[in-house]
């Protein structure tokens, strides 16, 4: 790009910056020297390929979505939490909000994630142990008691039974007197990554995509600010994928959901802004920053050039980040505070829109209150003390960062081509009812290709770790320590007994005829092709349980078993 084009770009950025609101804050160094809101080539410089880097707030958004960067608005501190029953988790949420957290993120226990009730025989010993137990809308009422759902944005990390859980959330808002149309938050819902990495599905891919399409339609029409899909790379990376695999598989999943929306006749400029992303921030500092920058650039280009999005908001890749749980060690757990801070800084320098920082004890148990506070304060120190909010994309233009960004982008594009080729082989005439990327995703899932690729990457890393080529302090280097045992959070078995008792009392007090009628209407919608959200909402209002709703659909749609691979 020549100097005239660079100068014109800076003028465009300056006009957008001047028209934007910025925070009332001190934008100087610790020594008191003022800093510019963005840096780039000098007006007399030319810079080959600068159009791929650009200015903040300008396509392809490599340097961020907004011309102001964090001067306009800092990232949202959104701490992931949930344990025991709804009452216990509500207390933790209040602590997070009172301590300065900007949003909530719900962790559910394993029975809830699998669409099972707490009194299901398969739930025994698991209730409340890796998240909060939610059996019906009454639990949602307790979970958010005293927390105004019309004002607090809430993310819910659940995919298989995401749609009935969303309906219970809507009912809880109604019972607070909140207009559901004003709700703002995020539901994970990403079933592709379950088949690829996390393994928490209920049915086969097609019924899940049917439910997701219904939710996308409903939210686009009725809850416009709510984001019905958070496409998740986090679990893909935690399963052992490389940075490029995490990026490519996640964005390909996103393209699949774009195709799903288009197949439903939705307008891309209307529904695409409701898609968000969820990435892992791992320990390789510069690689992670480059990954986030490449993600925005790839998504913007594909949404514009492949899928026809014309508005900037539809081309934006908004993402939440969580620091890498898999990088935490049980050995010398206080080292995890350092790891988490480095990973959080990478996410911030990569331009994350919201952030969760892991607690030092999460490799051993759910976070204690003290560890959760340290994790929260880690973000607040970064935000308030380090100056990282002063300049948009401060590493933009650095040779190493830009070449890493280009390399990860190229690696991702090669993986996209592999996925498309699998789709072409599966559907030679190219007439998949949803779209070509979806065809490739389903072919890769059904053949076990994705899980095989991730397993190979994980095996290579484990070999390097055991040989000592990859080093982890406290594990294969510097193993001597004066650290003693941590006091960890333990969930009492009384939680399960009380949850089961409360569930039984709730069933005894409800109108069973209303539940049966609502579930019957839900099944009729499943069979007839009607949108299933309203019938599911009626079931939630009648206090139908999660297990009953998911069980009825399991009987209708069956279950799914992944292919065996070696």
């Amino acid at each position: 790009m020549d100097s005239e084009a660079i100068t014109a770009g800076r003028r465009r950025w300056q006009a957008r910056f001047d028209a934007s609101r910025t925070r009332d804050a001190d934008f100087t160094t610790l020594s008191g020297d003022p800093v510019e809101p963005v840096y780039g080539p000098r007006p007399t410089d030319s810079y080959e390929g600068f159009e791929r880097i650009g200015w903040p707030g300008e396509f392809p958004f490599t340097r961020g979505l907004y011309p102001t960067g964090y001067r306009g608005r800092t990232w949202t501190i959104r701490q992931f939490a949930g344990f025991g029953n709804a009452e216990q988790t509500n207390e933790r949420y209040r602590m997070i909000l009172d301590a300065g957290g900007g949003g909530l993120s719900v962790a559910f226990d394993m029975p809830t994630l699998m669409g099972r009730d707490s009194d299901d025989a398969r739930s025994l010993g698991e209730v409340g142990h890796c998240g909060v137990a939610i059996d019906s809308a009454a639990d949602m009422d307790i979970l958010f008691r005293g927390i105004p759902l019309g004002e607090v944005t809430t993310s819910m990390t659940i995919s298989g039974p995401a749609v009935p859980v969303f309906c219970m959330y809507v009912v809880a808002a109604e019972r607070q007197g909140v207009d559901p149309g004003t709700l703002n938050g995020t539901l994970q819902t990403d079933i592709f990554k379950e088949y690829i990495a996390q393994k928490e599905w209920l049915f086969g891919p097609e019924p899940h995509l049917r439910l997701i399409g219904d939710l996308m339609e409903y939210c686009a029409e009725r809850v416009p600010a709510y984001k019905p899909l958070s496409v998740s790379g986090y679990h893909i990376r935690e399963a052992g994928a490389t940075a490029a695999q995490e990026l490519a598989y996640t964005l390909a999943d996103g393209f699949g959901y774009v195709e799903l929306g288009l197949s439903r006749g939705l307008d891309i400029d209307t529904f695409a802004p409701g898609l968000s992303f969820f990435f892992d921030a791992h320990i390789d500092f510069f690689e992670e920053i480059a990954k986030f920058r490449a993600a925005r650039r790839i998504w913007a280009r594909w949404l514009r050039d492949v899928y026809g999005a014309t508005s900037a908001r539809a081309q934006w890749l908004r993402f939440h980040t969580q620091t890498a749980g898999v990088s935490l060690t049980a050995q010398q757990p206080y080292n995890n505070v350092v790891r988490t801070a480095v990973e959080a800084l990478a996410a911030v320098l990569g331009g994350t829109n919201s952030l969760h920082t892991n607690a030092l004890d999460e490799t051993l148990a759910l976070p204690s209150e003290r560890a959760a506070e340290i994790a929260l304060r880690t973000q607040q120190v970064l935000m308030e003390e380090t100056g990282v909010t002063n300049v948009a994309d401060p590493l933009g233009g650095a040779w190493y960062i830009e070449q890493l960004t280009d390399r990860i982008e190229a690696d991702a594009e090669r993986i996209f081509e592999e996925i498309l080729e699998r789709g072409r082989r599966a559907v030679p005439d190219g007439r998949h009812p949803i779209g070509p990327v979806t065809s490739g995703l389903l072919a890769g899932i059904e053949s076990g290709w994705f899980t095989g690729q991730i397993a190979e990457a994980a095996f290579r890393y484990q070999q390097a770790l055991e040989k000592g080529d990859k080093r982890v302090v406290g594990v294969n280097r510097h193993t001597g320590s004066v650290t003693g045992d941590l006091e960890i959070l333990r969930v009492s078995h009384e939680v399960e007994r009380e949850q089961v008792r409360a569930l039984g009392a709730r069933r005894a007090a409800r109108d069973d005829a209303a539940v049966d009628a609502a579930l019957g209407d839900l099944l009729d919608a499943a069979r007839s092709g009607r949108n299933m959200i309203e019938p599911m909402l009626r079931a939630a209002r009648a206090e139908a349980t999660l297990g009953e709703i998911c069980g009825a659909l399991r009987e209708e749609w069956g279950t799914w078993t992944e292919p065996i691979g070696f």
Side-chain angles (χ1 to χ4, degrees), residues 107-338:
F108 296 95
D109 71 357
M110 186 56 69
T112 305
L113 291 169
M114 298 305 297
R116 306 283 182 190
D117 288 335
S118 295
D119 60 357
D120 190 307
R122 285 157 288 199
S123 301
L124 185 63
E126 294 290 343
V127 174
H129 280 271
C130 69
V132 64
I134 298 294
D135 289 310
S136 76
D139 286 319
M140 282 289 191
D141 296 342
I142 298 168
L143 185 66
F144 295 109
R145 182 181 293 158
I147 299 171
L149 291 178
E151 301 172 18
V152 175
T153 63
T154 302
S155 170
M156 294 190 286
T157 301
I158 191 165
S159 293
V163 180
V165 165
F166 166 80
C167 291
M168 293 174 186
Y169 175 75
V170 170
V171 170
E174 291 173 345
R175 291 172 180 174
Q176 285 189 0
V178 174
D179 175 5
T182 66
L183 290 173
N184 192 348
T186 304
L187 189 69
Q188 189 167 95
T189 324
D190 178 7
I191 206 61
F192 282 135
K193 65 91 177 173
E194 297 295 345
Y195 299 113
I196 291 171
Q198 199 172 22
K199 317 300 184 185
E200 291 167 1
W201 60 77
L202 307 188
F203 326 110
E206 285 79 7
H208 271 300
L209 291 174
R210 156 82 189 282
L211 271 175
I212 293 169
D214 285 357
L215 181 66
M216 291 173 70
E217 286 182 352
Y218 183 87
C219 288
E221 181 181 349
R222 305 283 189 87
V223 199
Y226 195 83
K227 299 164 187 63
L229 261 166
S230 175
V231 191
S232 178
Y234 184 84
H235 308 90
I236 292 170
R237 189 66 178 281
E238 294 285 292
T242 66
Q245 286 173 331
E246 176 198 358
L247 178 61
Y249 297 167
T250 306
L251 294 187
D253 290 350
F255 300 149
Y257 297 124
V258 168
E259 293 176 352
L260 176 62
L262 292 172
S263 76
R264 291 295 189 101
L266 298 176
D267 175 61
I268 192 165
D269 288 313
T270 300
F271 79 81
L275 301 176
S276 65
F277 288 80
F278 174 24
F279 288 113
D280 195 299
H282 220 302
I283 196 64
D284 192 318
F285 185 68
F286 294 108
E287 184 175 59
E288 295 303 289
I289 296 167
K291 178 187 74 180
F292 298 133
R293 298 172 85 252
R296 276 192 298 271
R297 187 157 77 199
I298 295 168
W299 183 255
R301 189 178 67 251
W302 274 67
L303 265 286
R304 186 190 70 175
D305 298 347
V306 178
Y307 297 115
T310 58
S311 73
R313 288 181 60 82
Q315 297 163 8
W316 284 354
L317 182 141
R318 283 172 295 240
F319 67 96
H320 171 72
T321 309
Q322 181 173 341
T323 56
V326 76
S327 73
L328 305 180
T329 65
Q331 302 93 325
Q332 301 179 21
Y334 289 103
N335 298 344
N336 294 331
V337 177
V338 181

Side-chain angles (χ1 to χ4, degrees), residues 20 28 41 125 152 168 193 197 199 234 261 265 279 319 352 359 393 409 416 437 439 510 520 524:
S20 302
T28 65
V152 175
M168 293 174 186
K193 65 91 177 173
K199 317 300 184 185
Y234 184 84
F279 288 113
F319 67 96
T352 192
D393 190 36
E409 180 181 18
F416 296 151
V437 175
S439 177
R510 72 188 184 181
D524 179 71

